[in-house]
Amino acid sequence: MSAAHAIATTPIPAPAPRTIAVAAGDGIGPEIMDAVLAVLSAADPGLGFQPVTVGLEAYRNGALSGFGPEVMDAITRHGVLLKGPITTPQGGGYKSVNVSLRKSLGLYANLRPCVAYHPFIATRHPAMDVVIVRENEEDTYAGIEHRQSEEVYQCLKLITRPGCERIVRYAFEYARSHGRRKLTCMTKDNIMKLTDGLFHRVFDEIAAEYPELAAEHMIIDIGTAKMAVDPERFDVVVAPNLYGDILSDVAAEVAGSIGIAPSSNIGRDCAMFEAVHGSAPDIAGRDLANPSGLLLSAVMMLVHLGRTQAATRVHNAWLRTIEDGVLTADMARAGQRPAVGTRAFAGAVIDRLGQAPRTLAAVDYPAVAVAAPARVDRPTAARTPAAKALVGVDVFVNWDQHPRNPDALGRRLEAMAAPEWRLSLVTNRGVKVYPQGQAQTLCTDHWRCRFVASGPDSATPQAIAALLLRLHAGGLDAVKTENLYTFDGKPGYSQAQGE
Ligand code: NAI
């Protein structure tokens, strides 16, 4: 598979000249962005840049989300953002700007090609050429988190059928239009049978529409291990957000260096292009950073914009540069070869515009669109909605009486359940502790109490409200409820461990 196939993405025809929004970002962002814009200006004089401010500087200027409304205006006007990395404060401060941008612009597909450039960039896997298609909006990245008691915090993992269909179909369309042969879906559906189970099921359903492509599923843990030692066995991998995030960093490192890994974030109306790596504060401002990840992201952007001649020129010049042994420190690896700085590397790429690599396969991006967004976003065939029936309720109770005796709690709850409900079980962190729990189970102050309807018509919203009032009157603090539904008679909720 050629590098061209690995890098290309969904082009949209665009007239020249053309302006794009650019955000330098934090840490090494400004220096690698300067380097990349210098190359782009030399390769594609018809491209104009509108700078926008995102990240720490925007935050310090009062934009609490890390970017102001003018940024969204610029991106939606130009359709494209080329973005440097952003420093995300951990454990506090503003939410991830990257996640906010991806979600507010509807950038549902995150494409991360991981290609080996053997022997010019050290890797144990010279034939590696993998594209990871990461779902970009859902999963735990919905960012819905709550603290529910002194001891317990939760994060909601949201997986939706339309979200799965769109990303899985994107992955298959991408594979088909780029001459790829095999798709691997990775989930953890042996544990998360409903959420990851849906992703896997949708993958199987859509795979049937592409009989010419091989399709397989792997559990994410063994899949990641295989990516680390045998990446040549993969072609296109599609995964939910969190797994795709981790897997693509592993794959980028295995291919050679995270400093060279590009990515695109594709939506129906807009797209954002950025390197996979972060703001690297440890080397910021020292002319050490490798601009290649951002430069190859810019190549993806040029292809997306239909500026395929410029994309071909920049990519081939970059290949020739690394072939000529002009490498930044991260690529030169442990002093095996002399290294150049960020600016000198960009200058070397500019010097080689118009040249092709001699050993690596030269790229030649097609001048026509290779994947049709309309085919990805086509509405799913009409489905008959399942018959949904309320059959019970899980009430999460914050109960902190010591010693933590589940039997004592269970007996109190039994007394409060009637007349509409029957207590079926109590769990702590998902493990059944009543009736007949194990003394060894660690119990926190957060108990999931499952009530099921005591009669055919007794499960109603009013009955849930009445139950909550009884719990409150009985001195129990109900911090959250989840209604239990069946869909066409099948439970729409998981069983407890040990149930
Ligand atoms: P990082 O990717 O910034 O750095 C990890 C290691 O790789 C460091 O040793 C760094 O020097 C090196 N490195 C990264 N990019 C390089 C490049 N272009 N050239 C040479 N070496 C490079 O990851 P880290 O340290 O975990 O995160 C730093 C900050 O970046 C955090 O605030 C994080 O939230 C943010 N971040 C932002 C991303 C984005 O904006 N898309 C993605 C990942 C992290």
Side-chain angles (χ1 to χ4, degrees), residues 28 83 85-88 98 274 276-280 282-283 290 330:
I28 58 171
K83 189 182 77 58
I86 307 287
T87 298
T88 305
N98 298 314
E274 58 181 342
V276 168
H277 63 73
S279 57
D282 51 338
I283 56 167
N290 185 353
D330 58 308

Side-chain angles (χ1 to χ4, degrees), residues 26 28 32 83-90 96-98 102 112 245 249 253 257-260 263 272 274-284 288-294 328-331 342:
D26 302 318
I28 58 171
I32 59 173
K83 189 182 77 58
I86 307 287
T87 298
T88 305
Q90 283 173 334
S96 163
V97 173
N98 298 314
R102 288 170 193 161
R112 297 182 163 193
D245 190 0
D249 274 24
E253 276 291 298
S257 163
I258 195 150
I260 59 170
S263 81
M272 177 170 87
E274 58 181 342
V276 168
H277 63 73
S279 57
D282 51 338
I283 56 167
L288 287 174
N290 185 353
S292 299
L294 188 60
T328 50
D330 58 308
M331 294 192 280
T342 314

Side-chain angles (χ1 to χ4, degrees), residues 20 91 110 126 218 246 324 334 353 431 455 469:
I20 60 161
N110 188 336
M218 293 177 97
I246 298 165
D324 287 348
L353 286 171
V431 182
L469 289 174

Side-chain angles (χ1 to χ4, degrees), residues 3 23 63 84 238 276 296 350 420:
V238 61
V276 168
L296 294 176
I350 293 169
E420 308 94 340

Side-chain angles (χ1 to χ4, degrees), residues 22-245:
V22 296
D26 302 318
I28 58 171
E31 54 200 296
I32 59 173
M33 186 59 84
D34 280 350
V36 168
L37 296 188
V39 177
L40 287 181
S41 301
D44 187 353
L47 202 60
F49 310 116
Q50 181 183 343
V52 294
T53 306
V54 303
L56 287 179
E57 190 188 333
Y59 183 67
R60 287 192 197 108
N61 292 344
L64 296 184
S65 63
F67 58 92
E70 74 287 357
V71 173
M72 299 304 275
D73 287 351
I75 302 170
T76 46
R77 188 160 64 251
H78 301 305
V80 158
L81 173 69
L82 181 64
K83 189 182 77 58
I86 307 287
T87 298
T88 305
Q90 283 173 334
Y94 61 89
K95 279 190 151 194
S96 163
V97 173
N98 298 314
V99 174
S100 303
L101 279 174
R102 288 170 193 161
K103 294 192 67 168
S104 35
L105 293 168
L107 308 179
Y108 63 89
N110 188 336
L111 223 67
R112 297 182 163 193
C114 300
V115 184
Y117 297 98
H118 178 76
F120 306 102
I121 298 174
T123 174
R124 292 203 186 116
H125 300 283
M128 179 174 182
D129 181 0
V130 179
V131 177
I132 293 167
V133 181
R134 163 188 169 194
E135 197 289 319
N136 218 14
E137 295 182 293
E138 303 194 336
D139 200 343
T140 46
Y141 289 68
I144 306 174
E145 295 188 285
H146 298 95
R147 180 174 181 176
Q148 297 199 318
S149 68
E150 183 59 30
E151 295 174 354
V152 175
Y153 300 69
Q154 74 160 25
C155 175
L156 201 59
K157 171 169 167 133
L158 280 178
I159 302 280
T160 71
R161 179 169 265 281
C164 294
E165 287 177 356
R166 193 153 70 156
I167 192 67
V168 169
R169 189 161 275 127
Y170 184 92
F172 276 96
E173 284 293 325
Y174 177 89
R176 175 183 270 175
S177 58
H178 289 74
R180 299 270 174 173
R181 299 224 163 81
K182 183 169 83 169
L183 282 99
T184 307
C185 170
M186 293 196 196
T187 72
K188 186 87 185 166
D189 67 340
N190 52 334
I191 304 295
M192 281 155 280
K193 294 178 195 297
L194 290 181
T195 47
D196 284 13
L198 174 64
F199 197 96
H200 185 174
R201 202 162 62 246
V202 168
F203 177 80
D204 287 345
E205 285 168 18
I206 291 179
E209 298 173 24
Y210 298 81
E212 78 280 16
L213 296 171
E216 63 175 4
H217 175 267
M218 293 177 97
I219 301 292
I220 182 68
D221 37 13
I222 190 63
T224 308
K226 292 251 181 264
M227 182 66 77
V229 296
D230 188 16
E232 295 87 350
R233 77 176 299 293
F234 295 106
D235 194 356
V236 177
V237 180
V238 61
N241 206 341
L242 179 60
Y243 310 142
D245 190 0

